[in-house]
Amino acid sequence: MKLINSDKTIAIWIATAIAIVFGLLTIKSGGQVLFGGSIYQKAAGNYVLFVVWFNFLAGFIYLVAGVGIWMRLHWAVWLSLLIAIATIIVFSILGMHILNGGGYETRTVAAMSLRSIVWISIFVFSYRKLIRRQVI
């Protein structure tokens, strides 16, 4: 009988917590801008609607990925990769929007950078822990 490596369990728990907390915060912030009325829209400034919608909807997928990682399901690794790729694509489209003179907030660029880094990191981590399964 193989004992569960507690370091691996803690690492999985941390990745899960990051994905789920990130998802909940993303749903909350996007939902406020989309459905919270003018006070939230005004506070958001020059928000880019397609980015807000993408992030809001992606927040739900973050939760699914987090649960899948917690359960050590291989599909969650590939879902994390899909999230990272989709985020980078939307970030690229945001870049084109900005280069074409579209309005935006600097914090949107920072947030998309953070989202990209987080999901690339979650993918790499979960791939190493769940797919490649490094021998300990």
Side-chain angles (χ1 to χ4, degrees):
M1 181 174 163
K2 186 176 179 181
L3 296 175
I4 296 174
N5 182 329
S6 64
D7 290 340
K8 185 175 180 180
T9 301
I10 291 168
I12 293 286
W13 185 88
I14 291 169
T16 298
I18 290 169
I20 290 175
V21 169
F22 211 62
L24 292 171
L25 292 173
T26 298
I27 292 166
K28 180 181 183 265
S29 64
Q32 285 176 329
V33 173
L34 294 170
F35 310 114
S38 62
I39 190 166
Y40 290 105
Q41 292 170 350
K42 190 172 185 170
N46 255 344
Y47 66 92
V48 181
L49 189 58
F50 73 87
V51 174
V52 176
W53 269 108
F54 170 78
N55 288 333
F56 174 72
L57 295 173
F60 294 98
I61 307 303
Y62 297 175
L63 299 177
V64 172
V67 170
I69 291 167
W70 175 252
M71 297 175 69
R72 295 172 173 79
L73 300 172
H74 287 190
W75 58 258
V77 175
W78 306 118
L79 183 56
S80 297
L81 176 61
L82 180 64
I83 292 168
I85 290 169
T87 301
I88 292 166
I89 289 170
V90 171
F91 196 9
S92 299
I93 296 169
L94 173 63
M96 289 186 277
H97 169 80
I98 293 167
L99 290 174
N100 286 323
Y104 71 101
E105 291 288 331
T106 304
R107 63 183 172 212
T108 303
V109 175
M112 291 302 287
S113 298
L114 177 63
R115 289 174 200 289
S116 298
I117 291 167
V118 165
W119 282 101
I120 290 167
S121 299
I122 289 174
F123 165 69
V124 169
F125 166 81
S126 62
Y127 179 82
R128 288 181 177 166
K129 296 294 182 184
L130 301 178
I131 300 292
R132 202 168 78 192
R133 294 185 192 232
Q134 297 175 346
V135 178
I136 299 169

